[in-house]
Amino acid sequence: MLEQLQELHVQALDELSRISEPDELELWRVRYLGRKSGVTQVLRSLATLPLEERRKVGARANEVKSALESRLIEKKRIVEEVHLISALEQKRLDVTLPGRPVSTGRSHPITQTLGEICDIFKSMGFQVFEGPDVEWDYYNFEALNIPRYHPARDMFATLWIDSEMEGRLLRTHTSPMQIRIMEKTRPPIRVIIPGRVYRYEATDATHESMFYQVEGLAVDENITLADLKGTLFEFCRRLLGQERRVRFRCDYFPFVEPGVEVAIDCLACNGGGCRLCGYTGWIEILGAGMVHPDVLRKLDIDPEVHSGFAFGLGVERIPMLRYGIEDIRLFYSNDLRFLKQF
Ligand code: PHE
């Protein structure tokens, strides 16, 4: 039996020396130290041996067992270390490489401009509302004093919605929201409505088929053209500079009387005349006017008691003027080289 143990010891150590994989180590442990291993069997059979021999064999078997156990622990450490080193070498990280830049998003220049515009009007007591892009003929035209066959419909090249229901269109301006607000609310009213509008037109550097407007509406007792002028004058200067000059001239829109167009002196030439302003020195940014009595009457607001002003502002104009952007189409062509500048 002592010989058997000796042989086992030698064989086990020989096999262990050739192992290089962690999985094989476990198999080796089961084979030489497990419940069915030679050493365990020897230890189990001790009871059948005469006392003298039992002592010797028992002592030797325990020696072999603990020797194998400690060699296993040693070997395990070595195998794991070798494995770790080769793993580290394969997945080598070059910590001296420069990091990859993280690109952060930003809001669109039009979104930024809308935010500024809304902030200015909010500070003057206006509430912000939004309305539907798909409108009814009634709100876009009829209720705004533009009945069917009215020549003013030619001012708005309209995109009609092709569906079972007649009279639906993509709103050509934000003015239909004047009607929706006055239907639902009684004066005093002070609101602005930012939103997209659509025109059926060939696009070029100054025309897009989709663009933004901000509508404004104020209705109360004793509202006069002076209120319109004061509000828009203040707005233009807060948005585009305290030194701006603001010009009001007569214009025509069927839903206001009188109607005005509002222009500011050109930012590029300060009114001297340049390519940007078509050598006029002025840039038109708003259509406005006093709400037409017929419009008020249709909404059960008595024009003898209440009056109001309304305006519509073209939004793209503003960043185009400020940053010298010469083509409106850049805003909606999703070119990151352009958008990243803002
Ligand atoms: N809705 C007009 C346009 O798009 C602008 C406007 C709004 C004019 C309100 C007067 C009053 O041209």
Side-chain angles (χ1 to χ4, degrees):
M1 273 214 173
L2 286 174
E3 261 168 48
Q4 206 186 315
L5 280 172
Q6 182 58 23
E7 248 171 60
L8 243 144
H9 193 181
V10 173
Q11 193 191 334
L13 290 183
D14 179 47
E15 246 180 64
L16 187 62
S17 69
R18 276 182 270 125
I19 287 179
S20 59
E21 294 300 315
D23 297 353
E24 290 171 37
L25 276 179
E26 176 58 12
L27 293 175
W28 182 92
R29 191 195 60 79
V30 171
R31 198 171 321 132
Y32 292 103
L33 292 165
R35 276 186 294 129
K36 290 179 185 158
S37 66
V39 183
T40 307
Q41 269 163 20
V42 169
L43 284 168
R44 256 191 220 137
S45 64
L46 286 179
T48 62
L49 297 178
L51 186 62
E52 193 55 20
E53 214 171 322
R54 192 192 300 174
R55 256 200 209 122
K56 274 198 208 150
V57 174
R60 183 67 193 135
N62 278 323
E63 265 172 36
V64 171
K65 192 179 175 192
S66 59
L68 290 182
E69 278 169 353
S70 60
R71 293 300 284 275
L72 175 63
I73 291 170
E74 237 173 75
K75 181 73 183 186
K76 207 172 186 169
R77 228 195 47 231
I78 294 167
V79 168
E80 279 170 1
E81 201 172 300
V82 169
H83 250 256
L84 181 64
I85 288 169
S86 76
L88 285 178
E89 234 146 52
Q90 273 165 30
K91 303 177 190 162
R92 186 170 236 150
L93 281 181
D94 182 353
V95 294
T96 67
L97 277 176
R100 296 196 185 116
V102 180
S103 64
T104 46
R106 64 196 74 204
S107 52
H108 192 279
I110 297 300
T111 310
Q112 292 177 26
T113 309
L114 285 170
E116 280 180 62
I117 294 168
C118 290
D119 282 347
I120 293 173
F121 282 113
K122 277 191 273 186
S123 80
M124 296 197 265
F126 286 75
Q127 282 179 284
V128 183
F129 283 90
E130 284 184 33
D133 289 20
V134 176
E135 258 300 2
W136 296 99
D137 182 315
Y138 174 77
Y139 290 106
N140 197 84
F141 292 128
E142 200 82 25
L144 289 165
N145 268 347
I146 317 174
R148 205 180 276 208
Y149 308 119
H150 191 289
R153 289 209 177 194
D154 293 349
M155 290 164 73
F156 307 99
T158 308
L159 284 155
W160 295 91
I161 301 279
D162 193 4
S163 77
E164 308 286 282
M165 276 176 288
E166 236 183 77
R168 289 210 297 179
L169 48 79
L170 289 174
R171 65 179 174 191
T172 59
H173 50 175
T174 42
S175 299
M177 276 304 286
Q178 289 183 33
I179 309 300
R180 287 182 179 273
I181 296 284
M182 286 189 279
E183 268 180 353
K184 290 240 164 69
T185 331
R186 295 290 93 184
I189 294 171
R190 264 184 293 180
V191 295
I192 56 163
I193 304 101
R196 295 168 187 248
V197 302
Y198 305 81
R199 303 262 170 104
Y200 181 51
E201 272 169 335
T203 61
D204 62 30
T206 53
H207 295 87
E208 254 292 9
S209 46
M210 187 283 297
F211 54 98
Y212 279 82
Q213 285 188 340
V214 175
E215 192 77 10
L217 174 70
V219 185
D220 203 347
E221 291 171 19
N222 303 317
I223 293 228
T224 68
L225 192 67
D227 296 307
L228 180 158
K229 284 185 73 176
T231 305
L232 295 180
F233 183 76
E234 173 70 11
F235 165 75
C236 287
R237 290 198 151 184
R238 296 253 295 262
L239 187 70
L240 295 162
Q242 287 304 320
E243 71 284 6
R244 286 275 76 74
R245 288 192 291 153
V246 186
R247 185 187 73 181
F248 295 82
R249 290 205 305 192
C250 289
D251 201 350
Y252 170 73
F253 302 95
F255 38 94
V256 289
E257 181 59 35
V260 297
E261 68 149 67
V262 185
I264 48 160
D265 56 339
C266 179
L267 270 71
C269 59
N270 277 316
C274 66
R275 198 157 62 92
L276 194 66
C277 55
Y279 303 96
T280 63
W282 294 96
I283 291 174
E284 201 197 313
I285 59 166
L286 282 142
M290 301 305 292
V291 181
H292 199 293
D294 287 348
V295 174
L296 294 175
R297 230 173 263 123
K298 256 182 249 168
L299 292 151
D300 279 330
I301 296 174
D302 183 354
E304 299 300 324
V305 181
H306 289 107
S307 53
F309 68 78
F311 58 85
L313 165 75
V315 176
E316 285 76 4
R317 269 283 165 89
I318 308 295
M320 286 177 85
L321 283 174
R322 272 188 179 159
Y323 306 122
I325 298 164
E326 296 199 342
D327 195 326
I328 191 175
R329 292 169 294 190
L330 283 166
F331 289 117
Y332 307 113
S333 51
N334 288 333
D335 187 336
L336 287 178
R337 292 170 304 177
F338 170 75
L339 295 172
K340 273 184 176 165
Q341 300 177 82
F342 304 98

